[in-house]
Amino acid sequence: MSGWAQKRFWKEVTVAETVEGFAVELDGRRVKTPAKAALAVPTREMAEAIAAEWDAQTESVDPKTMPCTRSANAAIDKVTHQHTEVAAMLSEYGDSDLLCYRADSPVELASRQAAEWDPVLDWAEAELGVRLQPRTGVLHQPQEAAALAVLAEKTRAMTPFQLAAFHDLVGISGSLILGFAAASGWRSADEIWQLSRLDERWQEEQWGEDEEAQAAAEVKRQEFLHAKRFYDFS
């Protein structure tokens, strides 16, 4: 977000409907992205969330407190121009999906993975028409090409704003299927985030919690929850 004003110069933040969608205006002047493109978003709800972030700024502008603005900037400045590449990169997660790599021991961990992760694979089969196959161990074993092609097509079908959010849902969780599950509202975003941390939660139960690791995990959780919120705005 380089190039933004460091100090608040505006008094009023408003949302305006335009031919491109919905814009955010500061004292009547439209907000632009870091690449100087007009910040136009697809829904009023998203625009209002962005406007609230700008209105919440006090003397100095703090981009860290403006997640919706950052996501919109990414969608406009990056994903719109690299849609094919971003979709392809995310689709690759399906061939090494977190949910498909299972422990062979201890038995308790393997049983928990099956109990918590199999229902997501069942959902994907019913709703996405794809059944990814679990593997034991960490060595890569390719999934069926036809299944991966279906997931790739569904990923490519997303709008730039959806794909910007989906990028974080998949990247943070490490799972293409969990990304789809979160985007579709299969369960709450927090429940799906917890599923992505099954192995970490198991280690914490065995060895105790580490404060630094917990703090880092909470940052990622908040980012995951934001990504789901932004996807819903799209």
Side-chain angles (χ1 to χ4, degrees), residues 43-165:
T43 67
R44 179 174 292 276
E45 188 177 22
M46 183 184 292
E48 289 176 346
I50 293 171
E53 291 177 350
W54 284 87
D55 201 34
Q57 302 304 304
T58 54
E59 292 185 3
S60 297
V61 176
D62 183 1
K64 296 190 296 296
T65 65
M66 308 172 78
C68 287
T69 305
R70 295 200 312 271
S71 293
N73 287 339
I76 295 168
D77 286 348
K78 297 179 181 179
V79 180
T80 294
H81 304 290
Q82 299 176 302
H83 191 282
T84 299
E85 293 83 355
V86 174
M89 181 269 290
L90 294 176
S91 298
E92 291 177 358
Y93 276 79
D95 198 34
S96 56
D97 200 281
L98 169 73
L99 304 181
C100 295
Y101 286 82
R102 310 292 178 87
D104 52 9
S105 65
V107 173
E108 293 81 4
L109 174 57
S111 296
R112 184 179 296 186
Q113 289 174 334
E116 295 193 24
W117 287 349
D118 283 356
V120 199
L121 297 180
D122 294 340
W123 170 84
E125 183 175 22
E127 297 298 324
L128 304 178
V130 167
R131 181 74 194 195
L132 296 186
Q133 299 301 319
R135 321 297 195 189
T136 300
V138 297
L139 294 180
H140 177 251
Q141 299 179 51
Q143 297 287 337
E144 292 184 2
L148 297 177
V150 171
L151 295 175
E153 182 179 1
K154 291 182 181 297
T155 304
R156 286 194 299 271
M158 293 183 183
T159 69
F161 287 88
Q162 290 173 329
L163 198 60

Side-chain angles (χ1 to χ4, degrees), residues 107-223:
V107 173
E108 293 81 4
L109 174 57
S111 296
R112 184 179 296 186
Q113 289 174 334
E116 295 193 24
W117 287 349
D118 283 356
V120 199
L121 297 180
D122 294 340
W123 170 84
E125 183 175 22
E127 297 298 324
L128 304 178
V130 167
R131 181 74 194 195
L132 296 186
Q133 299 301 319
R135 321 297 195 189
T136 300
V138 297
L139 294 180
H140 177 251
Q141 299 179 51
Q143 297 287 337
E144 292 184 2
L148 297 177
V150 171
L151 295 175
E153 182 179 1
K154 291 182 181 297
T155 304
R156 286 194 299 271
M158 293 183 183
T159 69
F161 287 88
Q162 290 173 329
L163 198 60
F166 193 63
H167 174 277
D168 289 347
L169 291 174
V170 174
I172 294 171
S173 69
S175 167
L176 184 62
I177 298 301
L178 286 181
F180 276 115
S184 300
W186 173 64
R187 291 184 182 173
S188 73
D190 197 57
E191 288 177 288
I192 293 172
W193 162 247
Q194 292 300 331
L195 288 176
S196 77
R197 295 196 69 253
L198 187 154
D199 291 344
E200 289 84 353
R201 288 189 284 115
W202 170 266
Q203 291 297 327
E204 290 167 0
E205 291 172 12
Q206 309 310 306
W207 308 106
E209 296 182 354
D210 177 87
E211 289 187 7
E212 289 188 8
Q214 285 291 306
E218 178 58 22
V219 170
K220 289 184 177 181
R221 186 181 79 89
Q222 292 298 331
E223 291 174 347

